Amino acid sequence: MNNCFRKSVLLLAAFTVGVAGCKSSDPVSAKGARSAKPAAVLTADEQKVNADSYEYVWKTVRDKYWDAKIKGIDWTAAGEKYRAQAATATTQDEARAAMNALLHELGESHFGVFGVAEAGTEKDDAGHKGTTQATDGGAGELGLVVRLSGHQAIVAELAEGGAAEAAGIKRGWVLVAVGKARVAKAIDSLSALEERTRGVTFAQVMGHRLDVKAGRTVVLGFLDENDKARVVSVTASPAKSVPVKFGNIPEVQVARESRLLPGGVGYTRLSIFFDPAGTATWFNKSLNEMNADGQMKGLILDLRGNPGGIGAMAMSFGGFLVHQKGVQLGTMYQRSLNPGETTALKFIILPRTKTYDGPVAVLVDEFSVSTSEILAGGLQDIGRARVFGRPTPGMALPSYIENLPNGDKFQFVVANYISAGGKPLEGRGVQPDELIPLDRKLLAASPTDPVIAAASRWILSGGAATTVSNPLPTPATGSVIAVPVLR
């Protein structure tokens, strides 16, 4: 087998739209609308490569999934069920659907086969010509976050001074159209998903749909706070982010923000856990600058909309906030080379030379996934932080992404993860200590972001958090490895 496609990277991020609980593969395309261009018909050679890719997917799960019994699933029978469909598929989408149907048998997040679409121009449903995928040097942002509430797409957040706010858009408005594309159709297509994954899938789909180049104008249709129809044109401003390439993962934009809020509350936000060195430098500098006189009342770490990334970065962040040695966020359990044994890798926090010991509030929502859940859940479990916002989806399994022979990317789970509180995050998620529902009236009535406001009130009222000992036991079998923090 050619080793050129076997390079992989361990990470914790949900890159695929087809998540656990989906009855059909990828109900909405990554760009939020189905392409009008007919799919290319595969040649016999391409079908053979897809058949080889299917076998690689099936064997990888058989040999590398953390549970040697594969959850009691008859994996041989599951492989036979979709093998012919993959081998005879006439389009790449059909072949990909067969592989994702096989992986769906596992019923877990962080499994998926997906293509890597190149950035390019296309005509959207409004007739505008532009790109829906940010490119190097041309990334833009509209400055609004849309989340799913029931059957409505609610404007949940607005960037302060951003393009959407300048155009007059308000929190609590309902997004009904992007150009001529009706948002309701995208919502309908997600009906097959289970409740916990519907919100994260919708957020991912709409994030792609609203991802435009700087300078491009997008026409958006809304219902305002009085349910009056409004049509607003928004021109994307240059994104406050940097492009980062890691391993064989497509380039991603990393946005980092920090500032002091009224009353001396420090605020930091990270869009994704990538660029370990650059992000650690930014976080350290932000803490030092905001707390230069030692008078910062507390810290808000905003992980809303953060889909995860490099798992070890959770420990890196913990090292800035926990001064005690030997504290762990949780434990990752992998299949051991010795049959019947488990290898446990502890996510140990190694304190930095200088740590921040004041109150910490972590903000989460339905698109805070993987590494975000590990950090938020771990800090909550050890008593170091209070969590605000909405429940996370519970998609926190360590995984690899590899290249398949056909050029697609293959993400697969290699471990189970148990948080410091002794419970898995997968399927459970992080439950906020203070729930701030996605309520249109609350959003419209609040002069500021209600989640940030709630966290600030807690900090300014004297909120405090202290680190406690970890309750996780050492496994009875297998080896225990302490995973070092990224320095």
Side-chain angles (χ1 to χ4, degrees), residues 317-348:
F317 268 70
F320 287 106
L321 304 174
V322 175
H323 68 266
Q324 294 93 335
K325 295 181 179 179
V327 178
Q328 66 186 76
L329 294 172
T331 304
M332 182 172 74
Y333 295 91
Q334 292 180 291
R335 188 192 300 194
S336 173
L337 295 177
N338 300 319
E341 293 188 354
T342 300
T343 298
L345 292 88
K346 294 183 177 181
F347 275 44
I348 299 291

mmCIF file of all heavy atoms in Angstrom, residues 317-348:
data_model
loop_
_atom_site.group_PDB
_atom_site.id
_atom_site.type_symbol
_atom_site.label_atom_id
_atom_site.label_comp_id
_atom_site.label_asym_id
_atom_site.label_seq_id
_atom_site.Cartn_x
_atom_site.Cartn_y
_atom_site.Cartn_z
ATOM 1 N N PHE A 317 -4.108 25.648 27.456
ATOM 2 C CA PHE A 317 -4.916 26.714 28.055
ATOM 3 C C PHE A 317 -5.055 26.502 29.560
ATOM 4 O O PHE A 317 -4.997 27.454 30.341
ATOM 5 C CB PHE A 317 -6.294 26.761 27.395
ATOM 6 C CG PHE A 317 -6.374 27.701 26.233
ATOM 7 C CD1 PHE A 317 -5.714 27.402 25.055
ATOM 8 C CD2 PHE A 317 -7.086 28.884 26.301
ATOM 9 C CE1 PHE A 317 -5.768 28.256 23.966
ATOM 10 C CE2 PHE A 317 -7.140 29.753 25.231
ATOM 11 C CZ PHE A 317 -6.482 29.444 24.058
ATOM 12 N N GLY A 318 -5.265 25.258 29.968
ATOM 13 C CA GLY A 318 -5.387 24.971 31.386
ATOM 14 C C GLY A 318 -4.157 25.394 32.172
ATOM 15 O O GLY A 318 -4.256 25.807 33.331
ATOM 16 N N GLY A 319 -2.991 25.312 31.534
ATOM 17 C CA GLY A 319 -1.754 25.689 32.203
ATOM 18 C C GLY A 319 -1.664 27.158 32.550
ATOM 19 O O GLY A 319 -0.890 27.550 33.428
ATOM 20 N N PHE A 320 -2.452 27.995 31.884
ATOM 21 C CA PHE A 320 -2.485 29.421 32.211
ATOM 22 C C PHE A 320 -3.443 29.718 33.370
ATOM 23 O O PHE A 320 -3.401 30.799 33.933
ATOM 24 C CB PHE A 320 -2.945 30.232 30.997
ATOM 25 C CG PHE A 320 -1.921 30.343 29.904
ATOM 26 C CD1 PHE A 320 -2.064 29.613 28.741
ATOM 27 C CD2 PHE A 320 -0.816 31.171 30.051
ATOM 28 C CE1 PHE A 320 -1.133 29.712 27.720
ATOM 29 C CE2 PHE A 320 0.128 31.276 29.033
ATOM 30 C CZ PHE A 320 -0.034 30.538 27.861
ATOM 31 N N LEU A 321 -4.312 28.753 33.701
ATOM 32 C CA LEU A 321 -5.390 29.015 34.653
ATOM 33 C C LEU A 321 -5.333 28.160 35.912
ATOM 34 O O LEU A 321 -6.103 28.379 36.843
ATOM 35 C CB LEU A 321 -6.752 28.780 33.964
ATOM 36 C CG LEU A 321 -6.983 29.589 32.674
ATOM 37 C CD1 LEU A 321 -8.283 29.161 32.015
ATOM 38 C CD2 LEU A 321 -6.992 31.075 32.971
ATOM 39 N N VAL A 322 -4.462 27.169 35.938
ATOM 40 C CA VAL A 322 -4.360 26.255 37.086
ATOM 41 C C VAL A 322 -2.910 26.242 37.570
ATOM 42 O O VAL A 322 -2.001 25.888 36.809
ATOM 43 C CB VAL A 322 -4.797 24.826 36.695
ATOM 44 C CG1 VAL A 322 -4.577 23.864 37.868
ATOM 45 C CG2 VAL A 322 -6.248 24.814 36.245
ATOM 46 N N HIS A 323 -2.694 26.616 38.817
ATOM 47 C CA HIS A 323 -1.325 26.659 39.325
ATOM 48 C C HIS A 323 -0.922 25.373 40.031
ATOM 49 O O HIS A 323 0.265 25.123 40.248
ATOM 50 C CB HIS A 323 -1.128 27.853 40.274
ATOM 51 C CG HIS A 323 -1.893 27.744 41.566
ATOM 52 N ND1 HIS A 323 -3.146 28.288 41.740
ATOM 53 C CD2 HIS A 323 -1.583 27.132 42.745
ATOM 54 C CE1 HIS A 323 -3.563 28.039 42.966
ATOM 55 N NE2 HIS A 323 -2.640 27.341 43.590
ATOM 56 N N GLN A 324 -1.888 24.530 40.413
ATOM 57 C CA GLN A 324 -1.560 23.269 41.077
ATOM 58 C C GLN A 324 -0.987 22.271 40.073
ATOM 59 O O GLN A 324 -1.412 22.210 38.920
ATOM 60 C CB GLN A 324 -2.799 22.668 41.742
ATOM 61 C CG GLN A 324 -3.332 23.494 42.897
ATOM 62 C CD GLN A 324 -4.404 24.472 42.472
ATOM 63 O OE1 GLN A 324 -4.462 24.873 41.318
ATOM 64 N NE2 GLN A 324 -5.269 24.851 43.390
ATOM 65 N N LYS A 325 -0.053 21.465 40.521
ATOM 66 C CA LYS A 325 0.541 20.449 39.663
ATOM 67 C C LYS A 325 -0.253 19.139 39.743
ATOM 68 O O LYS A 325 -0.856 18.824 40.761
ATOM 69 C CB LYS A 325 1.996 20.203 40.068
ATOM 70 C CG LYS A 325 2.909 21.404 39.862
ATOM 71 C CD LYS A 325 4.338 21.072 40.250
ATOM 72 C CE LYS A 325 5.256 22.270 40.020
ATOM 73 N NZ LYS A 325 6.670 21.976 40.411
ATOM 74 N N GLY A 326 -0.232 18.389 38.660
ATOM 75 C CA GLY A 326 -0.840 17.064 38.655
ATOM 76 C C GLY A 326 -2.326 17.036 38.382
ATOM 77 O O GLY A 326 -2.938 15.967 38.420
ATOM 78 N N VAL A 327 -2.936 18.173 38.104
ATOM 79 C CA VAL A 327 -4.381 18.225 37.826
ATOM 80 C C VAL A 327 -4.617 17.819 36.372
ATOM 81 O O VAL A 327 -3.871 18.192 35.473
ATOM 82 C CB VAL A 327 -4.941 19.633 38.082
ATOM 83 C CG1 VAL A 327 -6.420 19.692 37.741
ATOM 84 C CG2 VAL A 327 -4.714 20.023 39.536
ATOM 85 N N GLN A 328 -5.674 17.047 36.146
ATOM 86 C CA GLN A 328 -5.964 16.600 34.790
ATOM 87 C C GLN A 328 -7.371 17.009 34.367
ATOM 88 O O GLN A 328 -8.288 17.103 35.183
ATOM 89 C CB GLN A 328 -5.803 15.086 34.665
ATOM 90 C CG GLN A 328 -6.807 14.274 35.472
ATOM 91 C CD GLN A 328 -6.503 12.795 35.433
ATOM 92 O OE1 GLN A 328 -5.584 12.326 36.105
ATOM 93 N NE2 GLN A 328 -7.269 12.057 34.664
ATOM 94 N N LEU A 329 -7.519 17.261 33.075
ATOM 95 C CA LEU A 329 -8.836 17.586 32.517
ATOM 96 C C LEU A 329 -9.655 16.341 32.257
ATOM 97 O O LEU A 329 -10.889 16.396 32.242
ATOM 98 C CB LEU A 329 -8.664 18.362 31.207
ATOM 99 C CG LEU A 329 -8.032 19.749 31.315
ATOM 100 C CD1 LEU A 329 -7.749 20.312 29.924
ATOM 101 C CD2 LEU A 329 -8.944 20.693 32.085
ATOM 102 N N GLY A 330 -9.008 15.215 32.036
ATOM 103 C CA GLY A 330 -9.702 13.978 31.730
ATOM 104 C C GLY A 330 -8.714 12.941 31.258
ATOM 105 O O GLY A 330 -7.494 13.126 31.333
ATOM 106 N N THR A 331 -9.240 11.824 30.758
ATOM 107 C CA THR A 331 -8.401 10.718 30.319
ATOM 108 C C THR A 331 -8.899 10.170 28.994
ATOM 109 O O THR A 331 -10.107 9.984 28.807
ATOM 110 C CB THR A 331 -8.374 9.589 31.362
ATOM 111 O OG1 THR A 331 -7.937 10.118 32.619
ATOM 112 C CG2 THR A 331 -7.438 8.471 30.939
ATOM 113 N N MET A 332 -7.962 9.910 28.091
ATOM 114 C CA MET A 332 -8.266 9.321 26.796
ATOM 115 C C MET A 332 -7.882 7.843 26.838
ATOM 116 O O MET A 332 -6.765 7.496 27.219
ATOM 117 C CB MET A 332 -7.484 10.053 25.701
ATOM 118 C CG MET A 332 -7.749 9.583 24.300
ATOM 119 S SD MET A 332 -6.959 10.665 23.068
ATOM 120 C CE MET A 332 -5.247 10.181 23.257
ATOM 121 N N TYR A 333 -8.814 6.964 26.461
ATOM 122 C CA TYR A 333 -8.591 5.524 26.497
ATOM 123 C C TYR A 333 -8.485 4.964 25.082
ATOM 124 O O TYR A 333 -9.395 5.127 24.271
ATOM 125 C CB TYR A 333 -9.724 4.829 27.244
ATOM 126 C CG TYR A 333 -9.785 5.208 28.711
ATOM 127 C CD1 TYR A 333 -10.558 6.289 29.130
ATOM 128 C CD2 TYR A 333 -9.057 4.508 29.662
ATOM 129 C CE1 TYR A 333 -10.602 6.662 30.466
ATOM 130 C CE2 TYR A 333 -9.103 4.873 30.999
ATOM 131 C CZ TYR A 333 -9.879 5.951 31.397
ATOM 132 O OH TYR A 333 -9.918 6.310 32.717
ATOM 133 N N GLN A 334 -7.352 4.310 24.788
ATOM 134 C CA GLN A 334 -7.114 3.734 23.485
ATOM 135 C C GLN A 334 -6.936 2.222 23.571
ATOM 136 O O GLN A 334 -6.619 1.681 24.632
ATOM 137 C CB GLN A 334 -5.860 4.334 22.848
ATOM 138 C CG GLN A 334 -5.987 5.801 22.469
ATOM 139 C CD GLN A 334 -4.721 6.325 21.836
ATOM 140 O OE1 GLN A 334 -3.696 6.470 22.487
ATOM 141 N NE2 GLN A 334 -4.787 6.621 20.546
ATOM 142 N N ARG A 335 -7.113 1.564 22.427
ATOM 143 C CA ARG A 335 -6.861 0.129 22.357
ATOM 144 C C ARG A 335 -5.371 -0.129 22.557
ATOM 145 O O ARG A 335 -4.534 0.522 21.934
ATOM 146 C CB ARG A 335 -7.300 -0.423 21.003
ATOM 147 C CG ARG A 335 -7.243 -1.953 20.936
ATOM 148 C CD ARG A 335 -7.402 -2.479 19.517
ATOM 149 N NE ARG A 335 -8.647 -2.117 18.892
ATOM 150 C CZ ARG A 335 -9.104 -2.686 17.775
ATOM 151 N NH1 ARG A 335 -8.399 -3.635 17.180
ATOM 152 N NH2 ARG A 335 -10.239 -2.291 17.240
ATOM 153 N N SER A 336 -5.031 -1.059 23.423
ATOM 154 C CA SER A 336 -3.645 -1.391 23.685
ATOM 155 C C SER A 336 -3.142 -2.412 22.672
ATOM 156 O O SER A 336 -3.928 -3.145 22.052
ATOM 157 C CB SER A 336 -3.496 -1.955 25.103
ATOM 158 O OG SER A 336 -2.183 -2.421 25.319
ATOM 159 N N LEU A 337 -1.820 -2.459 22.506
ATOM 160 C CA LEU A 337 -1.223 -3.494 21.667
ATOM 161 C C LEU A 337 -1.378 -4.865 22.303
ATOM 162 O O LEU A 337 -1.323 -5.881 21.618
ATOM 163 C CB LEU A 337 0.259 -3.189 21.439
ATOM 164 C CG LEU A 337 0.566 -1.911 20.632
ATOM 165 C CD1 LEU A 337 2.077 -1.695 20.548
ATOM 166 C CD2 LEU A 337 -0.039 -1.997 19.244
ATOM 167 N N ASN A 338 -1.593 -4.890 23.618
ATOM 168 C CA ASN A 338 -1.830 -6.141 24.338
ATOM 169 C C ASN A 338 -3.321 -6.433 24.360
ATOM 170 O O ASN A 338 -4.101 -5.624 24.867
ATOM 171 C CB ASN A 338 -1.305 -6.048 25.770
ATOM 172 C CG ASN A 338 0.182 -5.772 25.827
ATOM 173 O OD1 ASN A 338 0.957 -6.336 25.049
ATOM 174 N ND2 ASN A 338 0.590 -4.908 26.748
ATOM 175 N N PRO A 339 -3.774 -7.543 23.797
ATOM 176 C CA PRO A 339 -5.207 -7.869 23.743
ATOM 177 C C PRO A 339 -5.864 -7.795 25.114
ATOM 178 O O PRO A 339 -5.328 -8.271 26.111
ATOM 179 C CB PRO A 339 -5.214 -9.309 23.203
ATOM 180 C CG PRO A 339 -3.932 -9.431 22.443
ATOM 181 C CD PRO A 339 -2.935 -8.609 23.203
ATOM 182 N N GLY A 340 -7.022 -7.159 25.154
ATOM 183 C CA GLY A 340 -7.792 -7.073 26.388
ATOM 184 C C GLY A 340 -7.364 -5.954 27.313
ATOM 185 O O GLY A 340 -7.960 -5.771 28.371
ATOM 186 N N GLU A 341 -6.322 -5.212 26.948
ATOM 187 C CA GLU A 341 -5.852 -4.126 27.796
ATOM 188 C C GLU A 341 -6.139 -2.766 27.161
ATOM 189 O O GLU A 341 -6.337 -2.656 25.958
ATOM 190 C CB GLU A 341 -4.349 -4.265 28.069
ATOM 191 C CG GLU A 341 -4.002 -5.479 28.924
ATOM 192 C CD GLU A 341 -2.545 -5.491 29.330
ATOM 193 O OE1 GLU A 341 -1.797 -4.616 28.842
ATOM 194 O OE2 GLU A 341 -2.156 -6.355 30.127
ATOM 195 N N THR A 342 -6.160 -1.753 28.018
ATOM 196 C CA THR A 342 -6.446 -0.395 27.587
ATOM 197 C C THR A 342 -5.274 0.500 27.932
ATOM 198 O O THR A 342 -4.684 0.374 29.005
ATOM 199 C CB THR A 342 -7.705 0.145 28.289
ATOM 200 O OG1 THR A 342 -8.810 -0.688 27.964
ATOM 201 C CG2 THR A 342 -8.010 1.563 27.828
ATOM 202 N N THR A 343 -4.927 1.379 27.028
ATOM 203 C CA THR A 343 -3.908 2.377 27.295
ATOM 204 C C THR A 343 -4.598 3.694 27.647
ATOM 205 O O THR A 343 -5.451 4.161 26.897
ATOM 206 C CB THR A 343 -3.004 2.597 26.068
ATOM 207 O OG1 THR A 343 -2.331 1.375 25.765
ATOM 208 C CG2 THR A 343 -1.978 3.684 26.342
ATOM 209 N N ALA A 344 -4.264 4.250 28.787
ATOM 210 C CA ALA A 344 -4.880 5.490 29.249
ATOM 211 C C ALA A 344 -3.892 6.635 29.121
ATOM 212 O O ALA A 344 -2.767 6.554 29.614
ATOM 213 C CB ALA A 344 -5.330 5.344 30.701
ATOM 214 N N LEU A 345 -4.318 7.678 28.444
ATOM 215 C CA LEU A 345 -3.499 8.872 28.302
ATOM 216 C C LEU A 345 -4.171 10.020 29.051
ATOM 217 O O LEU A 345 -5.250 10.463 28.671
ATOM 218 C CB LEU A 345 -3.310 9.245 26.833
ATOM 219 C CG LEU A 345 -2.472 8.286 25.983
ATOM 220 C CD1 LEU A 345 -3.357 7.206 25.397
ATOM 221 C CD2 LEU A 345 -1.775 9.033 24.867
ATOM 222 N N LYS A 346 -3.547 10.445 30.126
ATOM 223 C CA LYS A 346 -4.125 11.497 30.944
ATOM 224 C C LYS A 346 -3.826 12.870 30.354
ATOM 225 O O LYS A 346 -2.697 13.159 29.977
ATOM 226 C CB LYS A 346 -3.585 11.417 32.375
ATOM 227 C CG LYS A 346 -3.999 10.163 33.133
ATOM 228 C CD LYS A 346 -3.489 10.189 34.559
ATOM 229 C CE LYS A 346 -3.962 8.967 35.329
ATOM 230 N NZ LYS A 346 -3.491 9.002 36.740
ATOM 231 N N PHE A 347 -4.859 13.710 30.287
ATOM 232 C CA PHE A 347 -4.692 15.081 29.837
ATOM 233 C C PHE A 347 -4.254 15.932 31.034
ATOM 234 O O PHE A 347 -5.061 16.585 31.685
ATOM 235 C CB PHE A 347 -5.996 15.606 29.236
ATOM 236 C CG PHE A 347 -6.175 15.244 27.786
ATOM 237 C CD1 PHE A 347 -5.883 13.963 27.322
ATOM 238 C CD2 PHE A 347 -6.639 16.170 26.873
ATOM 239 C CE1 PHE A 347 -6.041 13.620 25.992
ATOM 240 C CE2 PHE A 347 -6.798 15.852 25.541
ATOM 241 C CZ PHE A 347 -6.499 14.565 25.091
ATOM 242 N N ILE A 348 -2.948 15.883 31.311
ATOM 243 C CA ILE A 348 -2.391 16.549 32.478
ATOM 244 C C ILE A 348 -2.135 18.026 32.180
ATOM 245 O O ILE A 348 -1.584 18.382 31.140
ATOM 246 C CB ILE A 348 -1.072 15.887 32.915
ATOM 247 C CG1 ILE A 348 -1.306 14.418 33.291
ATOM 248 C CG2 ILE A 348 -0.443 16.652 34.069
ATOM 249 C CD1 ILE A 348 -2.102 14.224 34.545
#
